[in-house]
């Protein structure tokens, strides 16, 4: 079989498999391209083109393309043994990693400019991409606060491309792989991209567990776009806060939302401001505390934590109980009569000077109903910086960063090298990236299974065959066994 080369009369031999791939790829692109580009276009009015792509039909194509890519990823999930898939608890962590576009942000004509006029500039031949900017910590050398010296980025970044959102597994019982992904313009559509992945996982009937993400997702998005829909689907949220979000974040019926959980209004100010005193105070400030003191104060907050009577209902309403009420009370409050079973137990005492006056609703009732909108932006599953919080947030973030490193590792199939995915356009980039992620998933699954059964690569750890006499050493012969073969004289 032969095919004519473009721009000449020569014919080149082409394998049938190549022809079939090109035909199938054309069909895939035609049904899933939400931002079609004219063939060979270089000079494009980007604003006009973007406006023309915002149609209902293109939205359907975009969803179809993401479903296609996620179906490929689900195929790698099905490579795992059934016992591994059943052991998965549904814990997932989301993050976005930047991928450079194959086309530059701007171009210049080769034609000689007119006298006295600058050389004209063209827009990118891949206008669906956008600028990705990450600002570093410009004033970190002037600040001694831990929030500046430990947790801020120190490098600026500004490049042309897209962001790849990935939902990654984490936990001791499963390998770290990508379960779902979306591709979008940097810094945009974060909430809708995550919910698209979550709905995909629901369609494949995967379990629901913890949801871990960085601060761009939670609490960076609007609660009605991400936090509330995730809670409605049963996910338990675990995330971090920015420096200006530490301490008290909301209140309802007298209860205080402090760093994600509801507490009694009788909590002392030292405990309320523990995170600010640890992360934000400068060296030399008398209110600055060390790590040991910070851990102790976080531990002391437990005495003021409102107990959950039951999990939130289908509408998001939840019932919370004062820690000084009932047989399981852990606090003794002047506003409450102690339960007979709690009288002889050591309890944390609340001084009258710590309590609000007049009494709020939380002090007059045994339980209060918290609306789903109250503190929806900041509320999470576990008290901030406790061992329970660390047990989910730390391995989750480590897993997704490890996966990002694997995806971009130059020894395998790095997604951040644009020359390996040269075709411009959103759908072409999505198909290329999905293929690369599938390859990375497969490689990580194989390595994980090797570790589970103790098999190593032959080149690195050759397996020695056990001697037959060693395997049968210590065995006894059955009296009714047939006679053995006599040895040769």
């Amino acid at each position: 079989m032969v095919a004519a080369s473009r721009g000449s009369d020569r014919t080149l031999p082409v394998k049938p498999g190549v022809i079939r791939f090109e035909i199938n790829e054309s069909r895939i692109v035609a049904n899933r391209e939400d931002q079609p580009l004219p063939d060979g276009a270089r000079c494009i009015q980007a604003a006009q083109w973007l406006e023309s792509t915002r149609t209902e039909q293109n939205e359907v194509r975009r969803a179809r393309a993401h479903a296609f890519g996620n179906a490929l990823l689900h195929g790698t999930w099905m490579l795992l043994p059934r016992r591994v898939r059943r052991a998965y608890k549904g814990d997932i962590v989301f993050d976005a990693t930047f991928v450079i576009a194959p086309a530059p942000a701007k171009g210049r004509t080769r034609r000689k400019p007119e006298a006295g006029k600058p050389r004209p500039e063209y827009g990118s031949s891949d206008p669906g991409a956008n600028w990705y900017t990450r600002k570093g910590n410009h004033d970190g050398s002037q600040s001694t606060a831990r929030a500046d010296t430990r947790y801020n980025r120190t490098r600026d970044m500004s490049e042309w491309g897209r962001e790849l959102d990935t939902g990654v597994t984490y936990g001791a019982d499963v390998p770290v792989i990508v379960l779902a992904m979306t591709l979008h313009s940097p810094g945009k559509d974060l909430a809708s991209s995550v919910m698209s992945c979550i709905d995909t996982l629901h369609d494949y009937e995967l379990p629901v567990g913890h949801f871990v993400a960085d601060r761009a997702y939670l609490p960076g998005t609007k609660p009605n776009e991400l936090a509330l829909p995730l809670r409605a689907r049963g996910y338990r949220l675990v995330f971090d806060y920015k420096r200006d979000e530490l301490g008290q974040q909301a209140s309802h019926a007298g209860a205080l939302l402090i760093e994600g959980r509801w507490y009694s209004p009788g909590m002392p100010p030292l405990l309320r401001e523990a995170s600010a005193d640890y992360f934000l105070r400068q060296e030399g400030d008398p209110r600055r505390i060390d790590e040991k003191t910070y851990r102790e104060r976080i531990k002391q907050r437990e005495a003021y934590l409102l107990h959950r009577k039951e999990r939130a209902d289908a509408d998001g309403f939840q019932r919370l109980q004062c820690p000084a009420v009932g047989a399981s009370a852990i606090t003794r409050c002047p506003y409450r009569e102690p339960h007979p079973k709690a009288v002889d137990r050591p309890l944390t005492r609340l001084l009258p000077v710590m309590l609000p006056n007049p009494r709020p609703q939380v002090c007059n009732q045994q339980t209060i109903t918290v609306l789903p909108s109250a503190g929806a932006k900041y509320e999470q599953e576990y008290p901030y910086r406790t061992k329970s919080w660390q047990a989910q947030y730390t391995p989750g973030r480590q897993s997704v960063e490890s996966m990002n490193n694997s995806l971009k590792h130059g020894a395998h199939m790095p997604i951040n090298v644009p020359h390996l995915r040269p075709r411009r356009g959103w759908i072409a980039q999505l198909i290329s990236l999905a293929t690369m992620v599938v390859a990375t998933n497969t490689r990580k699954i194989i390595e994980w299974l090797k570790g589970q059964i103790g098999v190593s690569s032959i080149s690195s750890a050759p397996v020695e065959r056990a001697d037959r006499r060693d395997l049968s050493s210590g065995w006894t012969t059955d009296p009714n066994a047939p006679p053995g073969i006599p040895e040769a004289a």
Side-chain angles (χ1 to χ4, degrees), residues 464-486:
E464 296 183 2
R465 182 175 179 180
D467 189 87
R468 183 166 56 98
R469 288 172 295 184
D470 294 337
L471 296 176
S472 60
S473 176
W475 288 19
T476 58
T477 304
D478 192 296
N480 296 323
I485 299 176

Side-chain angles (χ1 to χ4, degrees), residues 4 12 28 81 101 148 170 230 232-233 240 271 319 351 423:
L12 300 174
I28 292 172
D148 293 325
Y170 73 94
L230 286 174
R233 287 163 173 77
D240 201 358
L271 302 186
R319 299 285 295 173
L351 300 178
R423 291 197 61 180

Side-chain angles (χ1 to χ4, degrees), residues 58-118:
N58 286 343
E59 289 296 327
V60 174
R61 288 179 173 180
R62 188 179 188 87
R64 188 183 298 155
H66 280 141
F68 170 78
N70 289 327
L72 296 179
L73 296 179
H74 186 68
T76 63
W77 168 255
M78 297 303 294
L79 294 175
L80 290 169
R82 180 180 297 179
R83 63 174 182 82
V84 177
R85 288 185 273 119
R86 287 182 174 179
Y88 177 53
K89 300 177 182 178
D91 298 336
I92 193 166
V93 53
F94 269 83
D95 193 22
T97 185
F98 175 74
V99 289
I100 304 174
K106 291 184 179 181
R108 291 179 179 271
T109 180
R110 295 182 179 179
R111 293 180 300 175
K112 186 177 181 181
E114 299 180 13
K117 295 184 179 181

Side-chain angles (χ1 to χ4, degrees), residues 93 169-171 176 212 389-400:
V93 53
T169 60
Y170 73 94
V176 177
V212 179
W389 184 90
Q390 293 280 7
Q392 297 298 329
Y393 186 80
T394 300
R397 291 294 300 158
Q398 289 175 345
S399 296
V400 74

Side-chain angles (χ1 to χ4, degrees), residues 140-455:
S141 60
Q142 305 297 327
S143 175
T144 59
R146 294 184 178 93
D148 293 325
T149 58
R150 294 188 183 181
Y151 303 105
N152 264 7
R153 298 187 185 274
T154 58
R155 184 169 63 92
D156 288 347
M157 184 177 179
S158 182
E159 294 183 282
W160 183 260
R162 296 176 174 87
E163 273 189 326
L164 180 68
D165 272 336
T166 54
V168 178
T169 60
Y170 73 94
D173 300 327
V174 292
V176 177
I177 61 173
V178 178
L179 289 183
M181 56 171 275
T182 58
L183 186 66
H184 59 87
S185 184
K188 299 180 180 179
D189 304 323
L190 288 180
S192 60
S193 297
V194 170
M195 293 312 303
S196 173
C197 292
I198 293 296
D199 291 340
T200 297
L201 300 182
H202 179 267
D203 292 340
Y204 287 122
E205 298 182 351
L206 293 181
V208 175
H210 294 91
F211 179 94
V212 179
D214 65 13
R215 292 172 292 188
Y217 297 89
L218 296 172
T221 56
K222 296 180 180 179
N224 61 330
E225 294 179 351
L226 187 57
L228 289 176
L230 286 174
R231 292 193 185 102
R233 287 163 173 77
Y235 281 93
R236 291 165 284 175
L237 312 185
V238 182
F239 52 93
D240 201 358
Y241 299 110
K242 298 179 182 178
R243 63 173 64 192
D244 58 349
E245 296 168 339
L246 298 174
Q248 183 176 340
Q249 299 158 332
S251 63
H252 178 75
L256 307 179
L257 183 68
I258 299 176
E259 293 163 5
R261 293 302 302 273
W262 294 98
Y263 292 91
S264 165
M267 177 186 288
L270 283 179
L271 302 186
R272 300 184 193 183
E273 302 172 3
S275 295
D277 292 341
Y278 178 71
F279 289 110
L280 305 183
R281 305 298 180 190
Q282 305 291 328
E283 289 185 359
D285 191 329
R287 294 173 294 178
R288 180 180 170 116
I289 59 177
D290 57 17
E291 185 173 356
K292 180 180 179 181
T293 304
Y294 178 61
R295 298 297 177 195
E296 292 175 352
R297 293 186 181 180
I298 292 296
K299 180 68 175 177
Q300 293 170 6
R301 284 181 175 180
E302 296 179 2
Y304 305 90
L305 182 65
L306 269 63
H307 303 160
R308 286 174 175 164
K309 292 290 291 182
E310 55 190 16
R311 295 197 65 83
D313 59 19
D315 296 325
F317 292 85
Q318 58 178 331
R319 299 285 295 173
L320 302 180
Q321 179 177 282
C322 172
V325 172
S328 59
I330 57 177
T331 304
R332 180 165 296 179
C333 176
Y335 290 166
R336 304 285 189 183
E337 288 293 332
H339 194 277
K341 294 184 179 180
V343 172
D344 298 331
R345 199 167 60 241
L347 304 175
T348 301
R349 291 181 176 272
L350 293 182
L351 300 178
V353 69
M354 299 179 182
L355 301 173
N357 191 12
R359 298 184 186 184
Q361 183 180 354
V362 69
C363 296
N364 288 327
Q365 301 177 185
Q366 291 192 355
T367 62
I368 59 172
T369 300
V370 179
L371 306 178
S373 59
K377 185 179 180 69
Y378 302 107
E379 187 176 359
Q380 58 177 310
E381 180 69 16
Y382 303 108
Y384 185 61
R385 293 284 170 174
T386 60
K387 291 183 178 180
S388 301
W389 184 90
Q390 293 280 7
Q392 297 298 329
Y393 186 80
T394 300
R397 291 294 300 158
Q398 289 175 345
S399 296
V400 74
E401 292 298 340
S402 173
M403 190 66 200
N404 289 341
N405 182 67
S406 297
L407 290 172
K408 295 185 175 183
H409 199 286
H412 303 287
M413 192 173 290
I415 65 172
N416 62 331
V417 178
H419 304 296
L420 297 180
R421 38 180 180 83
R423 291 197 61 180
R424 61 190 175 90
W426 179 84
I427 183 61
Q429 290 297 296
L430 178 69
I431 293 175
S432 299
L433 290 169
T435 306
M436 292 177 170
V437 175
V438 165
T440 303
N441 273 2
T442 305
R443 176 173 57 85
K444 292 181 76 68
I445 288 173
I446 292 173
E447 293 300 321
W448 185 83
L449 290 175
K450 285 181 179 180
Q452 293 295 305
I453 62 177
V455 176

